[in-house]
Every structure is written in structure tokens, then in C-alpha cells.
Amino acid sequence: MSSAAKRLAFPFPAIVGQEEMRQALLISAVDPGIGGVLVFGDRGTGKSTTIRALAALLPEQQVILGCPYGCDPATPQGLCPVCEPADPAHGHEHLKPKVAKVPVPVVDLPLGVTEDRVVGALNLERALTHGEKAFEPGLLARANRGFLYIDEVNLLEDHIVDLLLDVAASGENLVEREGLSVRHPARFVLIGSGNPEEGELRPQLLDRFGLSVEVTTPEDLDTRIEVVRRRDNFERDPAAFCEVWAKDSDKLRRRLLSARKKLKGVEVSEAAYRRAATLCVSLGTDGLRGELTLVRAARALAALEGKAAVSDDHLRRIAPSALRHRLRRDPLDEAGSGVRVERALGEVFAA
Amino acid sequence: MPDSAVAPPSEDPPPGLRAWRTAGLAAAVFAIDPRGLGGVVLRAQVGPVRTRWTALLKALLPADLPVRRVPAGISDDRLIGGLDLTATLRSGKPVAEKGLLAEADGGVLVLAMAERLSPAAAARIALTLDSGEVAVERDGLAARLPARFGVVAEDEGLADEAPPVVLTERLGLFLDLERLSLRDLVELPLDAEKVAAARALLSRVEVGEGTLEALCGTAVALGIASLRAPLRALRAACALAALSGRTEVEDADVETAAALVLAPRATRVPMSAQPNEPEEETPPSESEPSPEEPRDDSDAGESSEPDLSDRVLEAAAAAISRGLLDKLKLAGQGPRGTQTAGTAGVAKLSLRRGRPIGAHAGRPRPGVRLNLVETLRAAAPWQRLRRPGTTGQTGARIAIRAEDFRVTRFKQRSETATIFAVDASGSTAFNRLAEAKGAVELLLADCYVRRDQVALLAFRGSTAELLLPPTRSLVRTKRALAALPGGGGTPLAAGIDAAAGLGIDLLRRGITPLLVFLTDGQANIARDGQPGRPQAREDAEAAARRLANQRLTALLIDTSARPNEKARSLAAVMEALYLPLPQADARKLDAAVRATLAG
């Protein structure tokens, strides 16, 4: 790793405004099963900054040492060909794997990435110099149990998008190439950001994101000044700036951890399920994915706020992120889907 | 003023001279802090003016600074880096090759013909500007390399061509040298030593309270949405202070910075400074704060220096010369305009490359490209066997046999543009224009799903008019459609000619056009613009025949109240699919378009 990799990230609590984006990202960190976050909107609104800030905020996690897929020592059995005992009958359960605490991987999927680096491929170096047929894991392996981030996701080449869709759906990466046959776990939170003016996102990919957030430039002058001021201070002296915000970062990190512990215990009442269903019916969202995401995200939001049960308020606050990208897109409705969700919310919750 | 000899003096210099001085100042600011400014959009044709400016910039930059030139058709291999095949083959082990982004680290990246840069390449450069490093994940290589540079984007584009906004948004300075002549290019009192001294001083420059407020407020007043602009302006103000040997930003620096960075991005002119007055004679330093409040949404500036914001705004407004605003908007600098720029690049790229659908064993032949990296991978495991006698790595060359050959197949991305040619003449307008619009809207929804481009042209009166060049923005299409006026004669031949012309143009760019005519087939204006039914009919048929000869795919939607024989026969001459509007419900239209596309 070069020194560039250690460059300090802008502290998450220092982000000004952009409440919806921050909320969605924190929720995806509390419950990775929600299906990731898509951040779409104006240029220069700090989309990328906020996502990188989240990476720096995440608490460390335990992994089996030496496992290229970062397997969890708590549940080592699974698909990983390294950690799985070769013969289940003679499993080495007596061998306790060595464990390490490492940062949660937040892997960048850069534009221009080639297929072999995404899924993994024959290790060229070892093949050329030693004549060995060894598998070199790709970015999907590195992102396992972490986050996969694609900036300008709408500019990603279609064949790479297809690979991602495949793996994101199954949670595992199956590689059959150059005589290799490898299958390994690849569960990750997909985070995408982009600007709709560069082009629309393919509907299949859109649907794959759990939450979708629209960001706009703040209109209010004071807010704008504060954004520029903090950015400027950070760029002039990143270390000092991070130091100032360290306490807030720690506090937020502890909140995240406690929310993860609480998550399972958060109650979803019959009434809350009903509310969620009514809302989805009135919006005419396809399938049950919207409903499920809505409830799960509301639960994560409740956990994040230390609440024991999901309230109407939680549903209401998360509904736009959970549902706006699932509405049948009417390209001629200038109001946009966010407005339609708001309208439906007003009706359902007024009742 | 940062430098009395460089900044506009109080007497009124000719506009060209002023522009050249500004250009010189911009070069100095950029040379002091390339990364902080992000870069320069240099709008100029190839010629002595651009050459002089480039030479000036070069003289101001440190001699050992890497400067890398990026051609418009750059491939990812060269931009990002990848496997060095020659070296790999020679040494028998993988050798990485740096891309231009990493090579430019610490220096300047010059984009030749930036208006032709593909959106994909522009996005890669833009993201590198943000992070200061380039992530290489290619050809089995994984690396993060530092790539901190400033960009000079050479824009030779015409009115409807501009560098991709994703990139220009991040470049702080914008220079238009198009109207300068050789006479304007006086010696400027800038030298490398002074710039070097400023560079050394830069980190100690302090920004006072009020500066941020002034720059942010001015950005708002000029209708600049992005927050990157005031941030870049702040950097420019610091560089200007350093250029004057100061460690404190003064008001004059802020004013000049606003004129350099904010003014060219303006999407509206603030009320107090309408540029239809002769604006050139008002140098920023002398302009008096306007008595009336120029902004109504501002509450900043009251704290410390109540008039700094106003003066910065005045300075910026004064820098906006007449006509520039419209030109900038055309060039896609506005917050919403981007669609036309770059689409041609995408099309060309996809024509050349299409979408790779994997590498397979096979021989390269025309249209099937050898995939060197995959070939190498296929050959790699056999190297030991193929070298009898020598074991291990003796630096021998790699033995590649025919069976190792891997080729990449490309699936031609079938990029389609649907051209709607709408008859908006009197006969249609009174009868069915509204319904025709409805039909177009239905088709638009379908185009959205298929990610097609859409273009709209209308014919009425005596000519055909392109209302919307090919775009993916449905909002724009809808707007153009809503604004479509009706009435007048029916220049059917002109409409067919225009649609066919656009279709041919798109074909040339690698896009498959689909022509959709909405007309009742009643022509009454001939090609020469003269009224007369028989001639008009003859011309329309001739145009339709030509369209058929050019093998353009077309669909004719008959907008008459009842299926009309004239429309039907015209469709036949065009070899177009014929669809009377009365039956044209959404599903049928959709099926018709699909069938036409498939056929």
C-alpha cells in the first residue's frame, strides 16, 4: 500500500446537511442486508466525500487471518475454498483459526476496471514465473463482508454491470476461466453514486439498490458557506481537522455498534407492517421488495436512534429512500418520483 | 490589485488586450497552484494565440514538471495503465506500465481536443482529480498510484461542442482566447521566479472572514449551483495574494478571483449589473457598490464587511461580457445543459469497440481483435513444458503457440436514435396535433426503457425545423414537444428530407436511426417553398423514394381522422411501416416500434 492509501478521509460528522444521504448510508452500515445505497444528484454536493467518510467511520471487524475473502471466524463454514475444510468428515474443528481485527473493506470499483480484476483470474505472475495455476482473487473477493463503491456508476461499462448484478443477487462469485474453477463468497453492500445528466441508470441495476437518495445543492447561503469553509479547512490541514472532529466520530461509531446489537430486538408491530403495505399498495410498487426494504430500513433507523420499536415516524422518514426508485418510472411526470412518494405518504399517514 | 501591471489598469484598454492580460493572470494563478485550481478550460483554435499562451504557462511552471498530453481518443490502457506487453514478453514475467494519469503526477495533464473526449475518459480524469490518485485494476494488476495534477483542457469546439461537464465542473479557470488577435499579445510582466516565490508562500496565505461569504454569495447571485466553484475561487484568491507577495487575502484578490473563476460560470446576470450597458469600461476596482441590493436571498456580509460581497459581485459581473453568457450556456456550462456534448464520442467509441462479450480461443481476423493479456494467460501455465532443457526462469522469452490465441468479440451496442418528424401544419394542427403529441409521448416512454436517444423535428409553414437534436434527456424532449406550435402549410418534402438528412448523419456516427413520421400525408408546399398541391405531392414522393434508397428504417403514423390513402401510399414509397393513428394505442405503437427495429 502506498502512502496515498492512508490519506485521511473527511470526517463523517463534519458533513453539512445532506440528511437523507447520511441517514441512508448509516442504515446500510447497521443492516448490510438492505441492499446498498444509490446516491444520485447534482455535481459538487459531496456525494463521494460522504461515502468515503463512511468508510473511515466503520468499526473494525474480525476476520480469519490469511483468508483472502475475509471470512468471519464466528461462521467460518460457507463457500470460501480456503477456510472450508477439504473433507467435512475430517474437519479440523480442533484447529482454531488465527483471528485478526481489520477495517471493514470499502473497495473502489474504478471506471476502466477489467473483468479479470473484478471476478478474479489466473495469477499471471505465478503462472509465468513458476508455471503454477493459482487463482488471484479480484475486487469482489476483497469486498466480501464490506462495501463495494462505484463512483459515476452510470458510466460503468455494461458487461461489468452484468457481472455485478449476477454476484450481488447470489452472494457468491463463481469463476470458470483459464481452467480454473473457483467459488467464493461475495456479499457486499453496493454503493453507487452518479449524476443523472451523464445518462440514466439501467433499470435492472436501479432495482438492485435497497435505498436510493437524491442529493441537491443546498440553496441556503449560510449552509453553502459552511460547506466550503469546512472543505477548505480540511484540505489545508487534514490531520488537524480530523482531530477536531475525532470525538464526534467516536461517538457516532459507538452509536453504529450499539445499533447493530439492538437491531434484532427492534419490534415491528402489526400496525407498522400494515402501514408499510398500505403505502406500497397506494404507490403501486412492483413486487414485495419495496415493502421489505421499507420495513427493514425503518427497523435499522429505529435501532440507530436507540428505539425499541418501529414508529410511523421511522417509516415516514425512510419511505422516500426505500421506494422512490421502485415506482414505475413515468418519464413524462416532471414532478419526479420523490414527490409522488411524499404525496402518498401524506394520504396514508393522514388516515 | 495583485499586480498593477497585470491587472486591468484604470484607463480603458482595448478588449483584446484586457482579455490577454486576464489570460496571463490565469496562467500565473494556475502555475502557482495547479492542483488547487483543478485546471483551465482553454477555448481557442490551434494557432499563434494558443501557442503563445501555452508557452507562457510553460515558462511559469517549474522546468522539471511532468507535462503529459492526452489525445481525445485515449484508451484505458494508456490513460490508467496496464500490462506492458513488450516488457512482459521480453522478461517472461508481468511488467506493469504506468498510464498517463500517474505519469502526470505532480504536474499538468493537457487534454488535446477536450471537446472530443469521451464521457467515459472524462469521468476517469475527473475522479482522479478528486482523489489525487489513480486506481489501477486491470490485466491482473492492482495498484494505487499518486496522480495529483492540474488539467489544461484545450477546447477547439464549435458552438454545440464542449468538453464533458463532468470534467469542466472541476476546472477552476475558463479562458476564451477565440477573439484575440496577434496584436493583443503584448509581453506580460510575469516571470517564473515571481511565480515560484508565490508558490512557496502559498501555504501561509490566510483567508479573512468575509471572503467565503463574498465568494459563496456571488456564486449564488450568478446562478452557480455547484459548490466547487466558490472553493476554486478561494484557491485563486490565495494564489493572487501570494503573487503579490502577501500572506493575507485582500479584497482585490477576491474580486479578481471572482472575475476569473465565477464569472465564466455564470448562468444569469445579477440585477444590478446588466451587461447590456457597455460593460468594458468598468474595471473591477473602480466599480462602485450599487445602491440597490443586488441579491434578495443574501443575509451574509453584514457581519464584517458589508460591501465586499457587492464589490465581488460587481467585479464578476463586469467580467461577463455581452454574448458570453449565451455562448457559455450553449457550451453546456449552465447547470442543466450537457446533453449534446460528447454523445458523438460515445457513438464512435461504441462503433469501434462495442461491448466486449468475453474472450474466446480463436484466430484474430478483421473485426476480431487479439486479446493479448488473455492470450498470455492461456500460454502461461505451459511455459515450463515448452522449454525443454531449461527449467525455471532463465529470462527466456515466452513461448506462445497458435492454440493460446484468445480473441475478444465485441457485440455492437445497438445504439438507436428515434427521430420524430411531426407534421405541425394547419390541417394537422386543427385536427390531431394534440393526439400526435400524445402518441409521441407514448413512444418516448418506450425509448426511455430502451435507453434510446430521441430527436424531434417539425415541419410547417415552408420549412422543417430541428427542435431537438438527438438527446437522452426526456425532460428536454417533453418540453420541446409541448412548445411545438401548429399551423401553416405542409412542406412534406422538406420534412422528409430533413429527417433523412439527420438519419444519415446519425448512421455516420454509428447510431442506428429510426424515423417516425406523424403526418396525414397531405402535402401542399413544394421543395422550393412554393404552394401548390401537385408539385408538393411529387416532391414528397421523390423525397420518400430517396429515403427508401438510403435504406433508412421508417414508420409512418397516419394522423388523419380516418386512414388516408395518401398517407398509406407515401409509406409504401418510403418502404415504411404504416400505422393509422386511430389504432395507435400504446401497446400497438410499442409493438410497431419494436418490430421496425428488429426488422
Side-chain angles (χ1 to χ4, degrees), chain A residues 201-320:
Chain A
L201 204 62
R202 275 167 71 192
Q204 301 97 305
L205 185 57
L206 193 62
D207 186 52
R208 209 48 65 97
F209 286 97
L211 304 175
S212 126
V213 175
E214 283 169 12
V215 290
T216 52
T217 314
E219 305 268 325
D220 161 58
L221 186 65
D222 288 338
T223 310
R224 292 174 63 101
I225 291 170
E226 193 54 32
V227 172
V228 176
R229 189 201 314 276
R230 287 189 189 175
R231 185 78 223 176
D232 182 49
N233 286 343
F234 171 75
E235 275 172 21
R236 283 167 156 256
D237 191 348
F241 189 79
C242 289
E243 190 55 42
V244 170
W245 289 90
K247 250 191 197 153
D248 292 281
S249 293
D250 286 342
K251 220 165 105 189
L252 189 55
R253 192 173 294 122
R254 282 197 298 276
R255 219 176 105 199
L256 254 181
L257 277 172
S258 122
R260 280 186 186 163
K261 285 197 194 108
K262 283 206 178 91
L263 185 65
K264 275 195 183 139
V266 174
E267 195 206 335
V268 184
S269 67
E270 194 52 40
Y273 278 119
R274 191 159 285 276
R275 283 275 205 215
T278 315
L279 188 62
C280 290
V281 168
S282 84
L283 281 166
T285 53
D286 294 335
L288 291 174
R289 205 183 270 179
E291 229 165 299
L292 191 63
T293 310
L294 177 59
V295 171
R296 282 187 82 154
R299 185 190 278 137
L301 182 60
L304 201 57
E305 297 183 345
K307 299 284 161 41
V310 168
S311 70
D312 272 2
D313 183 51
H314 294 132
L315 285 170
R316 188 177 210 143
R317 274 155 58 206
I318 202 67

Side-chain angles (χ1 to χ4, degrees), chain A residues 1-7 18 42-49 52 106-118 120-133 136-139 142 149-152 154-160 162 177-178 180 193 195-204 206 216-233 235-236 328-334, chain B residues 35 76 80 83 88 92-94 119-120 123-124 126-127 130-133 135-142 144-146 148 164-166 169-170 202-207 209 212-214 216-220 224-228 230-231 234-235 238 295 297-300 334-339 353 355-356 358 373-374 376-381 383-384 387 392-393 398 413 441-442 444-445 448-449 451 472-475 478-479:
Chain A
M1 281 284 140
S2 66
S3 62
K6 280 182 239 131
R7 187 173 298 126
Q18 307 299 3
D42 291 349
R43 298 190 181 84
T45 42
K47 297 186 287 278
S48 190
T49 303
R52 288 180 204 289
V106 176
V107 175
D108 259 307
L109 193 86
L111 297 178
V113 68
T114 54
E115 195 173 316
D116 62 316
R117 283 305 303 144
V118 179
L122 180 75
N123 182 319
L124 202 55
E125 166 105 52
R126 277 166 73 184
L128 283 179
T129 53
H130 304 288
E132 287 173 15
K133 220 178 195 184
E136 180 166 292
L139 295 174
R142 238 201 275 158
Y149 174 43
I150 313 163
D151 201 353
E152 304 286 354
N154 40 343
L155 294 178
L156 197 64
E157 275 143 88
D158 278 353
H159 68 287
I160 303 287
D162 293 342
R177 51 190 292 165
E178 295 128 9
L180 295 164
S193 69
N195 184 308
E197 283 171 34
E198 312 292 341
E200 311 270 357
L201 204 62
R202 275 167 71 192
Q204 301 97 305
L206 193 62
T216 52
T217 314
E219 305 268 325
D220 161 58
L221 186 65
D222 288 338
T223 310
R224 292 174 63 101
I225 291 170
E226 193 54 32
V227 172
V228 176
R229 189 201 314 276
R230 287 189 189 175
R231 185 78 223 176
D232 182 49
N233 286 343
E235 275 172 21
R236 283 167 156 256
R328 242 191 90 80
R329 171 80 188 253
D330 177 3
L332 303 166
D333 182 2
E334 257 173 62
Chain B
R35 187 146 155 68
D76 277 350
I80 299 169
L83 202 65
T88 300
K93 61 180 184 201
R124 286 150 176 68
L127 296 183
D130 286 353
S131 64
E133 59 179 29
V136 186
E137 296 285 356
R138 305 179 53 78
D139 308 341
L141 304 163
R144 299 186 95 77
L145 304 170
R148 291 152 301 197
V165 183
V166 67
E169 219 265 320
R170 288 163 163 92
L202 190 64
S203 64
R204 289 192 282 131
V205 174
E206 301 276 333
V207 184
E209 266 311 298
L212 272 178
E213 282 86 335
C216 288
T218 302
V220 169
I224 303 167
S226 173
L227 288 172
R228 285 202 180 98
L231 201 54
L234 191 64
R235 287 285 120 75
C238 291
R295 305 173 314 274
D297 54 350
S298 157
D299 50 3
R336 292 272 163 226
T338 161
Q339 287 80 0
R353 298 214 320 225
R355 173 182 157 200
V373 175
E374 293 302 332
L376 219 45
R377 275 218 178 85
Q383 292 308 301
R384 243 201 271 190
R387 270 183 240 136
Q393 59 277 58
I398 296 170
R413 179 144 56 109
E441 294 203 351
L442 287 173
L444 277 178
Y448 165 71
V449 173
R451 305 173 82 222
R472 280 213 174 77
S473 168
L474 292 160
V475 178
K478 197 195 168 192
R479 217 176 287 144

